[in-house]
Amino acid sequence: MHTRVDLADNPVGAKVVKYAVSASAAVSNSTLPAATRHLVEIRASQINGCSVCLDMHTKDAAHAGETSLRLNLIAA
């Protein structure tokens, strides 16, 4: 199987990754409470359509003690 898009070798992909990391750092370095930060990361992943990030951030939030009710209602 061949990779459809190699983000490391693609100039546009590299910019996308750079901006995503920058946005993530802005949220991580903010004064938001950890619970809210997890919810923001999940919502951003939903908006971006990134299933890998959505899975990761949802698991992180659940591990940090976020309730399933709040996780299920993020998109609402």
Side-chain angles (χ1 to χ4, degrees):
M1 184 166 92
H2 297 288
T3 305
R4 292 188 310 170
V5 177
D6 184 1
L7 295 178
D9 193 38
N10 182 322
V12 174
K15 282 185 179 181
V16 170
V17 170
K18 176 183 173 184
Y19 291 128
V21 169
S22 176
S24 177
V27 172
S28 296
N29 296 331
S30 72
T31 59
L32 285 174
T36 305
R37 188 172 63 242
H38 286 304
L39 299 178
V40 168
E41 292 168 341
I42 293 168
R43 185 63 184 137
S45 297
Q46 289 173 335
I47 292 168
N48 293 331
C50 183
S51 60
V52 173
C53 295
L54 183 57
D55 179 60
M56 175 183 62
H57 293 310
T58 303
K59 288 177 181 175
D60 289 346
H63 182 70
E66 192 58 69
T67 67
S68 60
L69 177 63
R70 284 171 49 105
L71 292 174
N72 292 329
L73 292 176
I74 292 172

